[in-house]
Amino acid sequence: MFTGIIESLGEIKQIRQEGSNVHFSIASSISSELKIDQSVSHNGVCLTVVAIEDHIHTVTAIEETLKRSNLGQWQVGSLVNLERAMRSNGRLDGHIVQGHVDGTGVCTRVDDRDGSWNFHFRYKPTQEHLLVDKGSICINGVSLTVVSPVDDLFSVSIIPYTYEHTTFKSICEGDLVNLEFDVIGKYIARYAQLYFKAMPV
C-alpha cells in the first residue's frame, strides 16, 4: 500500500530482457536502503526488488505489467518516481494507492500558469474507472486531485515542489502516463453494477 507521495527520483541505468520479462536497474538516493523482496512503487507500479548493488536496485516487470503500463517505453536515462510502501503507523498524506495500475493516459496539453502548471490528459473511461471533480487520481505514482473531468478528458494542477521533485517536469504533450483510479470509487462502481444487475426487470 502506498500514498502517492514520491520519496525520490530514480534513473534507469540498465534494461535487460529475459524471455517475456524485463529487468530494470535503477539508481536512486533510496536504493541502498532497500531490501530484497521489498515492494516499491515505480511510476505507480508496485514492483519487487530482486537485487541491490551499492546505489542501484533491480526490479522485474512481467508481460502483463508491460502491457498495462508505460514501463515498456522506459529507456536508459529515463527518470522514475519512487515510493516505498507506507508504514502502518505513518500519515496518509496522499490517498490510498495500491500500486496496481489500471491503464494509461496521454498528455494532451501542458499550461504554464506562472507559478503552477495544468496538465491535461485523455484516457479511456469505463464503468469501473470513473473520475469525479476534486476526487483522487494517481498519475505515475503521484497522488493528485482531479480537475474538471469531462467525457474522456481531465486535468490536474501541479505546484512547483511537485513539478521539481517528480517526473512531471519531463512530461510533454503526447507522453504516456500510468493511471490508477481511486480504489474506493472502483469498489463502489463494482457494487453498483452487481446491485443493478440483480434487480428484477
Side-chain angles (χ1 to χ4, degrees):
M1 193 73 69
F2 305 94
T3 68
I5 305 299
I6 303 306
E7 287 189 79
S8 174
L9 281 173
E11 181 180 350
I12 306 295
K13 291 296 187 180
Q14 184 183 58
I15 300 175
R16 183 169 58 88
Q17 184 95 28
E18 184 180 21
S20 62
N21 298 336
V22 178
H23 305 290
F24 297 98
S25 294
I26 301 160
S28 76
S29 61
I30 65 171
S31 294
S32 61
E33 302 173 20
L34 302 178
K35 298 179 179 179
I36 303 297
D37 287 342
Q38 188 170 356
S39 295
V40 178
S41 172
H42 296 70
N43 267 13
V45 180
C46 180
L47 297 172
T48 301
V49 177
V50 297
I52 301 171
E53 185 174 350
D54 297 327
H55 64 290
I56 296 176
H57 72 277
T58 299
V59 293
T60 301
I62 63 173
E63 186 176 8
E64 171 67 14
T65 303
L66 296 169
K67 288 180 179 179
R68 189 177 287 267
S69 69
N70 66 6
L71 271 64
Q73 297 188 349
W74 287 359
Q75 300 176 352
V76 172
S78 294
L79 295 179
V80 182
N81 295 323
L82 301 176
E83 181 193 358
R84 285 172 285 191
M86 179 186 177
R87 296 180 184 272
S88 60
N89 63 344
R91 295 184 184 277
L92 186 58
D93 291 320
H95 72 280
I96 298 173
V97 176
Q98 294 181 296
H100 302 159
V101 169
D102 295 300
T104 56
V106 177
C107 180
T108 60
R109 194 172 83 244
V110 180
D111 297 332
D112 189 334
R113 295 296 186 182
D114 191 25
S116 66
W117 293 261
N118 284 358
F119 284 77
H120 301 260
F121 298 96
R122 174 174 279 110
Y123 75 111
K124 185 177 181 180
T126 68
Q127 290 183 325
E128 294 83 12
H129 303 148
L130 304 174
L131 293 177
V132 295
D133 194 34
K134 302 303 182 287
S136 295
I137 183 73
C138 188
I139 301 177
N140 278 357
V142 182
S143 172
L144 295 164
T145 300
V146 175
V147 178
S148 303
V150 178
D151 299 326
D152 61 346
L153 300 171
F154 73 96
S155 63
V156 294
S157 296
I158 303 297
I159 63 173
Y161 183 89
T162 303
Y163 187 86
E164 289 297 330
H165 291 83
T166 70
T167 59
F168 268 94
K169 61 186 174 184
S170 61
I171 294 177
C172 302
E173 182 178 336
D175 285 351
L176 201 66
V177 297
N178 294 327
L179 300 177
E180 181 184 331
F181 297 87
D182 184 14
V183 64
I184 297 174
K186 287 190 285 187
Y187 274 115
I188 292 173
R190 181 57 177 158
Y191 287 142
Q193 288 177 38
L194 294 175
Y195 174 78
F196 289 111
K197 185 177 181 180
M199 288 183 66
V201 178

